[in-house]
């Protein structure tokens, strides 16, 4: 159990680091959203392929060819998340986009839990409600809110993609090579989509932007997602969805530590509400009604 908790914590840190690296690269003017996405998924694909060959040798090809429907589904969900995320943040405020994304992920994961017959306990539902309320308080921008339909649709699709990718991970047997195949399929789909429907021209990618995208793809995405696939069979859909609500507060803390963003009383209080809701929902006896 201790190893599972540690692995889950490291995975959530990796997810939060993705957000920080994205802000450093894109908001810092080093690379466009589309370029960041394609460099990120390419770096993850190459890194995981190398690790898979080192760890599995000749067995890698047999693993890659096994269960092709599952690998295609995983690659499609991952590409859907990457592309939807990139499209949405062309028009959405970062905080509002994150709020909508994790709301869509929660709906997908909890719906999947019910459809898969896992059941969701009242305590877990209560914890999710508290955490989501804290997330609204934490991320909802002040003043007038603009909700472009295309951007909202894109972030909702991205949330469905990530939720679907996480649900598929419950059946992972060999996470690193399986994630490697998912990344290669996602890379092909992302490259094809961006070639056919290029995003609006943004800033030219420089060495810093590409380096941050590669770091995000190789380490915090590639390795982070492989670790996620390692622990998902032990978490279940509802717990996995609930745990991910702690990512935004962790990302904000990372921004404070690495990007000199301001830590306010509002951020502290709202983050504590989110973490408290997650902790409440994940602890104690859980019996599905």
């Amino acid at each position: 159990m201790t190893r599972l908790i540690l692995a889950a914590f490291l995975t959530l840190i990796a997810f939060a680091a993705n957000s920080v690296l994205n802000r450093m690269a894109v908001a810092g003017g080093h690379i466009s959203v589309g370029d960041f996405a394609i460099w990120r998924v390419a770096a993850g694909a190459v890194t995981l392929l190398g690790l898979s060959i080192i760890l599995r040798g000749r067995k890698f090809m047999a693993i890659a060819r096994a269960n092709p429907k599952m690998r295609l589904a995983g690659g499609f969900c991952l590409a859907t998340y990457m592309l939807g995320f990139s499209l949405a943040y062309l028009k959405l405020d970062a905080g509002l986009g994150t709020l909508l994304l994790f709301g869509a992920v929660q709906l997908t994961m909890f719906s999947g839990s019910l459809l898969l017959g896992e059941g969701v306990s009242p305590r877990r539902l209560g914890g999710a409600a508290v955490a989501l309320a804290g997330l609204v308080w934490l991320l909802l921008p002040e003043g007038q809110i603009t909700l472009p339909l295309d951007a909202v649709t894109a972030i909702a699709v991205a949330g469905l993609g990530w939720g679907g990718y996480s649900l598929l991970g419950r059946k992972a047997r060999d996470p690193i090579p399986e994630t490697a195949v998912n990344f290669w399929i996602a890379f092909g789909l992302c490259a094809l989509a961006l070639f056919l429907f290029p995003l609006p021209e943004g800033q030219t990618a420089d060495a810093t932007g590409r380096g941050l995208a590669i770091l995000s793809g190789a380490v915090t995405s590639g390795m982070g997602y492989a670790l996620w696939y390692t622990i998902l069979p032990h978490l279940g859909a509802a717990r996995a969805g609930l745990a991910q609500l702690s990512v935004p507060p962790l990302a904000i803390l990372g921004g404070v530590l690495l990007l000199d963003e301001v830590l306010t009383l509002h951020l502290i209080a709202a983050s504590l509400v989110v973490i408290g809701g997650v902790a409440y929902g994940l602890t104690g006896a859980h019996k599905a009604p």
Side-chain angles (χ1 to χ4, degrees):
M1 180 60 72
T2 302
R3 292 177 63 184
L4 177 62
I5 293 172
L6 178 60
F9 181 71
L10 289 175
T11 304
L12 296 174
I13 290 292
F15 292 171
N18 271 326
S19 178
V20 175
L21 292 169
N22 190 298
R23 294 209 300 271
M24 290 174 68
V26 177
H30 299 290
I31 195 171
S32 68
V33 173
D35 285 338
F36 185 90
I38 201 69
W39 277 95
R40 175 186 177 189
V41 71
V46 171
T47 301
L48 289 170
L49 175 62
L51 280 173
S52 299
I53 292 173
I54 292 171
L55 295 174
R56 298 293 179 264
R58 295 179 179 178
K59 294 181 180 179
F60 170 69
M61 290 308 299
I63 296 171
R65 288 193 295 265
N67 205 345
K69 291 183 179 179
M70 188 68 71
R71 298 286 70 77
L72 285 171
F76 177 79
C77 286
L78 185 57
T80 299
Y81 161 68
M82 294 281 190
L83 292 171
F85 186 91
S86 298
L87 288 169
Y89 279 104
L90 291 173
K91 295 184 179 180
L92 277 181
D93 171 81
L96 182 58
T98 303
L99 177 61
L100 294 172
L101 173 67
F102 279 92
V105 170
Q106 281 299 297
L107 287 174
T108 305
M109 297 293 288
F110 274 81
S111 298
S113 179
L114 294 173
L115 290 173
L116 293 168
E118 292 182 0
V120 182
S121 70
R123 184 185 183 103
R124 196 159 293 157
L125 285 172
V130 171
L132 279 171
L135 201 59
V136 172
W137 184 23
L138 177 67
L139 298 173
L140 198 63
E142 298 179 3
Q144 185 176 2
I145 300 173
T146 57
L147 293 172
L149 180 60
D150 53 349
V152 172
T153 302
I155 203 69
V157 170
L160 288 171
W162 181 253
Y165 187 75
S166 297
L167 289 172
L168 290 170
R170 297 166 64 258
K171 297 183 179 181
R173 296 182 178 180
D174 203 340
I176 290 179
E178 290 179 17
T179 308
V181 178
N182 291 341
F183 261 79
W184 276 103
I185 294 172
F187 172 69
L189 292 174
C190 287
L192 178 62
L194 291 174
F195 175 76
L196 295 176
F197 307 100
L199 297 180
E201 288 293 331
Q203 59 265 43
T204 303
D206 60 23
T208 299
R210 287 191 291 269
L212 291 170
I214 290 170
L215 177 62
S216 174
V219 181
T220 57
S221 293
M223 299 304 299
Y225 294 1
L227 187 57
W228 185 234
Y229 260 38
T230 302
I231 64 176
L232 274 171
H234 307 286
L235 285 180
R239 280 201 297 176
L242 181 57
Q244 290 180 89
L245 288 176
S246 60
V247 173
L250 291 173
I252 288 173
L253 177 60
V256 170
L257 296 175
L258 300 174
L259 303 178
D260 294 325
E261 295 179 353
V262 178
L263 183 63
T264 64
L265 182 61
H266 162 252
L267 292 179
I268 295 173
S271 296
L272 288 175
V273 172
V274 176
I275 299 298
V278 172
Y280 175 78
L282 292 181
T283 56
H286 298 291
K287 292 184 179 180

